[in-house]
Amino acid sequence: MFGIVDAAVSVAKGDVADKTSLINSGYNSSRFGVRGVEDLGGGLKASFHLEGALSNDDGNATGFNFQRRSLVSLSGGFGEIQLGREYTPHFWNHTVYDPFGTNGSGTQIGLNSAAGGATTVRTNNAINYYTPTMGGFKLQAQMAFGEQSSNAAAPDAGNMTSFRASYDMGKLSAAVATGKTNVSAGVDITSTNYGAAYDFGVAKVMGSVFKDERTGAADTDGYVFGLLAPVGPGTVRFAMSQTETGAAQSKKTAIGYVYGLSKRTDLYATYASVKNSGGASANAGGATSGVNGSSTAMDFGVKHSF
């Protein structure tokens, strides 16, 4: 068994409405899971991973499930094959190269754009394959089934393919990923992104760019750029991100500090500011801003893993 319990007080202010909340997952996503591995001999292993999100601010009022990850796998010298619900390969660059790890008020703006679709982060009914790491290179391929009948109006709806190629060696990390999902008859979403990071010692600099394309809709383009820097007993996090769909543009600047009380417990603080133009109305935290408005959010929390 394993998990993370993360909670924070979030104070958000917008030009339309303010909101103060107790939130979960301000630094890491709160979760509970069970996992296991069986050695089958000859280098072959079988394993399972069941993991669900915890809404520890309200005790999971909507009910607990294993929708974070739910899979069974076989691994060996050939790599690993997984079956079940899993992250999409084209999601990973978003979180790996975001100083805020796609959590809390500091996370990059525009990740879940209208063009991104239902498979932006995870997908159901997936076959997932990882190659062994070869000289720092690794490939991931995924195919997911929409499970439509052959005589349905859109028999391919929900079908998805996604790929990620990564390189991790020493201080350098880089990756490219792309995924395509059929939404309905004649409507596809293609999400492509590139990310990289380099650890200079005094700071780890990182960033990624993405493009979401949806049939019949304007493309969404975005980026995040920032760093992680050890300062005193903790780590400073800083990021600038932007998303743009047509003329609508939203920009976010975020800074935070994480103080480790132990290997499993951290205190953290985050400040984020969002500005909109061209008809956009994105918000920081739980604030509400009008068209071309602005907002800010501050998170103060604690995370404990077990």
Side-chain angles (χ1 to χ4, degrees):
M1 294 189 296
F2 66 95
I4 293 174
V5 182
D6 181 316
V9 175
S10 180
V11 180
K13 297 183 179 295
D15 49 24
V16 173
D18 305 336
K19 188 176 183 179
T20 299
S21 311
L22 183 68
I23 63 171
N24 65 77
S25 308
Y27 175 35
N28 288 156
S29 299
S30 292
R31 69 196 72 173
F32 174 78
V34 291
R35 58 194 173 200
V37 179
E38 181 186 13
D39 192 334
L40 302 175
L44 188 64
K45 295 181 179 180
S47 63
F48 74 94
H49 190 117
L50 301 173
E51 181 180 316
L54 287 178
S55 297
N56 44 279
D57 52 325
D58 62 12
N60 275 77
T62 57
F64 179 80
N65 54 55
F66 289 116
Q67 288 191 348
R68 281 184 56 84
R69 298 179 73 198
S70 180
L71 54 90
V72 63
S73 70
L74 285 174
S75 61
F78 58 86
E80 183 175 8
I81 297 176
Q82 302 172 337
L83 303 176
R85 177 174 171 82
E86 177 62 302
Y87 289 101
T88 62
H90 57 271
F91 165 72
W92 278 115
N93 290 346
H94 289 297
T95 195
V96 169
Y97 302 114
D98 179 350
F100 289 86
T102 58
N103 276 297
S105 295
T107 189
Q108 62 179 290
I109 199 163
L111 172 59
N112 293 307
S113 70
T119 59
T120 299
V121 179
R122 300 175 179 87
T123 189
N124 297 329
N125 313 312
I127 300 173
N128 203 52
Y129 171 66
Y130 293 90
T131 68
T133 301
M134 299 166 286
F137 288 97
K138 192 171 188 175
L139 299 176
Q140 180 186 4
Q142 186 180 82
M143 177 175 64
F145 305 107
E147 298 187 341
Q148 304 296 319
S149 298
S150 60
N151 61 351
D156 294 329
N159 290 353
M160 187 207 72
T161 55
S162 182
F163 304 90
R164 182 175 187 259
S166 61
Y167 175 81
D168 292 279
M169 183 67 74
K171 298 180 179 182
L172 176 65
S173 173
V176 57
T178 186
K180 184 176 182 179
T181 304
N182 182 263
V183 180
S184 58
V187 179
D188 294 321
I189 293 173
T190 301
S191 299
T192 304
N193 52 65
Y194 307 83
Y198 191 85
D199 192 342
F200 290 92
V202 294
K204 184 176 183 180
V205 178
M206 62 185 66
S208 67
V209 296
F210 75 88
K211 177 183 283 292
D212 290 337
E213 302 170 275
R214 184 182 181 115
T215 308
D219 296 348
T220 297
D221 297 279
Y223 70 81
V224 60
F225 174 79
L227 57 82
L228 299 171
V231 175
T235 302
V236 169
R237 304 190 292 174
F238 175 77
M240 298 181 295
S241 59
Q242 176 180 300
T243 184
E244 186 173 275
T245 304
Q249 185 182 90
S250 300
K251 295 182 177 182
K252 177 187 282 188
T253 302
I255 188 167
Y257 189 73
V258 180
Y259 178 81
L261 295 176
S262 70
K263 291 183 178 180
R264 298 191 292 125
T265 304
D266 298 292
L267 299 177
Y268 62 89
T270 300
Y271 173 82
S273 173
V274 172
K275 295 183 178 180
N276 297 289
S277 61
S281 57
N283 304 306
T288 303
S289 60
V291 173
N292 300 329
S294 60
S295 57
T296 62
M298 294 182 291
D299 299 342
F300 304 94
V302 58
K303 181 218 80 175
H304 178 73
S305 60
F306 61 91

